[in-house]
Amino acid sequence: MKRVERFVRFAAGKEVLYGKLGGEGIQALEGDIFGDYRETGRQYELKDVRLLAPCQPSKAVCVGLNYRRHAAELTMAVPEEPVIFIKPSTSVIAPGDEIVYWPMVRQLDYEAELVVVIGREAHNVAEGDAEQYIFGYTVGNDVTARDLQRKDGQWTRAKGFDTFLPFGPHIARGIDVTDLRVQSFLNGELRQNGRTSDLIFPVPYLVSFISKVMTLLPGDLIMTGTPEGVGPMQVGDTIEIKVEQIGSLINKIVAPRS
Ligand code: MG
């Protein structure tokens, strides 16, 4: 079994650094985790830093309807090919940051997802080679304005608001993701409880399929879809997304600041 490594990005004073979790806290790294990096020997305690989104994707490519029972709950047919859409880089927020309930939105839903982090430029990748292009995995919430998704027919507005892409808190490497529990908890109450073994299109298939459409860059995300049990959040709620062995992502819903 491979050793599991966990990577974070964090702010310490004015510095922004990548780091590796271990022992007492964070081992600071020098350089870029997607290129050359080395351990600096400097160590930080978690309480002394602010965790940021663990990487800076140029895009998040998301997969709709990738769990059979979620397709059924939305009364949509199981797709023959993955339905994909993009969340813009500007929707990214850090673990612990606030999700904004924008005035245009009438129903703000959570979606618990396993997220793939791409490690190398990927274009036209064969399914059998997909593993080589994956840096690791993290946890994401594909925050969705469900009313606007229904109203618009295409999903750019519903999925693309600022703050609608929380992910983290770290990127884990060395984990087999073929059968992991994916859950959401709204104010501590279990709402979604699926397993990645129920994915219609598994991870290597998705990497290959998407790379035949668009070039994936280091740090790009693939959000693999959500299990059944999606539902609305209100201002003041706390939403936690958990993927077994990978981690737990917690965010709070707030009204826009005027
Ligand atoms: Mg989704």
Side-chain angles (χ1 to χ4, degrees), residues 63 85 111 113 142 159 225-226:
V63 183
F85 60 93
E111 291 190 0
E113 308 208 2
D142 175 14
K159 300 283 194 174
T226 199

Side-chain angles (χ1 to χ4, degrees), residues 40-51:
T40 59
R42 274 187 297 161
Q43 181 141 340
Y44 293 84
E45 286 186 46
L46 276 163
K47 66 171 175 58
D48 297 331
V49 308
R50 188 164 55 86
L51 285 186

